[in-house]
Amino acid sequence: DAGVIQSPRHEVTEMGQEVTLRCKPISGHNSLFWYRQTMMRGLELLIYFNNNVPIDDSGMPEDRFSAKMPNASFSTLKIQPSEPRDSAVYFCASSMDIYSGNTIYFGEGSWLTVV
Amino acid sequence: RKEVEQDPGPFNVPEGATVAFNCTYSNSASQSFFWYRQDCRKEPKLLMSVYSSGNEDGRFTAQLNRASQYISLLIRDSKLSDSATYLCVVTRYSGGGADGLTFGKGTHLIIQP
């Protein structure tokens, strides 16, 4: 079975450039999550969707970050303009639904370095 | 108080020993609890759910103490392959109910030969 698929796996970009991270959730999963992980802050929830609708984006650090889910099989997280402090691993995860506390499955992550 | 707190470690434990670590959570309404494992430079993966009555999966035992709001993970006969970061995960609540999971920062475990 295909798991959560993320791309790119690694990206190095210059400050000020736009970064787009992509995610394909597990088929049949209704909830999709974007997390960011750094050594200092651990795993932080940025935003999550249920049935393609953004439910809570309070974790999005600032207006430079935006996320979309145009359909059940695709989501993007965009950073524009990027800054060095955005360097982190960005994980996309999906689950059957968010309400029952079901386990969530993570993609392998997108390792972002902004120089 | 942070939503989910863990001792970051590292816990350095000789192979074959028993090791245990706890995690505390602040929201008494939390209903679902999990332990995830994350290997270096990998994604977190579910290790086990934590049930009210406690549960065991091979060498791993998870327990929940609602009164004191903590969960624990016990690893018996530790193996070198158990070296990883163990993340405590608790149902996240806001507004109308459960809406996802909150992760602790993890406890780093190193099993030494």
Side-chain angles (χ1 to χ4, degrees), chain A residues 47-65:
Chain A
I47 184 172
Y48 69 91
F49 298 81
N50 197 51
N51 294 320
N52 312 337
V53 176
I55 303 299
D56 185 355
D57 65 354
S58 59
M60 296 284 261
E62 48 198 275
D63 292 345
R64 298 184 297 106
F65 286 69

Side-chain angles (χ1 to χ4, degrees), chain A residues 1-43:
Chain A
D1 288 344
V4 176
I5 300 173
Q6 292 187 244
S7 66
R9 290 293 315 282
H10 300 272
E11 179 152 346
V12 180
T13 190
E14 291 186 346
M15 185 173 71
Q17 296 298 306
E18 178 178 291
V19 174
T20 299
L21 308 178
R22 298 172 178 81
C23 176
K24 177 178 168 55
I26 294 172
S27 178
H29 281 190
N30 297 316
S31 299
L32 182 141
F33 308 81
W34 281 102
Y35 283 89
R36 177 174 68 176
Q37 188 174 37
T38 61
M39 287 292 292
M40 289 296 294
R41 300 173 71 90
L43 203 61

Side-chain angles (χ1 to χ4, degrees), chain B residues 51-99:
Chain B
Y51 303 122
S52 296
S53 56
N55 50 297
E56 192 173 302
D57 183 2
R59 298 181 293 108
F60 297 82
T61 300
Q63 299 218 321
L64 167 64
N65 185 317
R66 286 191 184 275
S68 301
Q69 294 183 208
Y70 75 84
I71 66 174
S72 63
L73 179 67
L74 179 81
I75 306 174
R76 291 181 299 277
D77 187 22
S78 54
K79 313 291 185 188
L80 295 176
S81 58
D82 294 334
S83 297
T85 297
Y86 291 84
L87 303 168
C88 170
V89 186
V90 176
T91 319
R92 181 173 178 264
Y93 278 81
S94 66
D99 61 1

Side-chain angles (χ1 to χ4, degrees), chain A residues 63-83:
Chain A
D63 292 345
R64 298 184 297 106
F65 286 69
S66 63
K68 294 182 180 179
M69 191 166 185
N71 57 62
S73 59
F74 183 66
S75 177
T76 59
L77 177 68
K78 188 172 291 187
I79 309 172
Q80 167 63 22
S82 58
E83 297 182 2

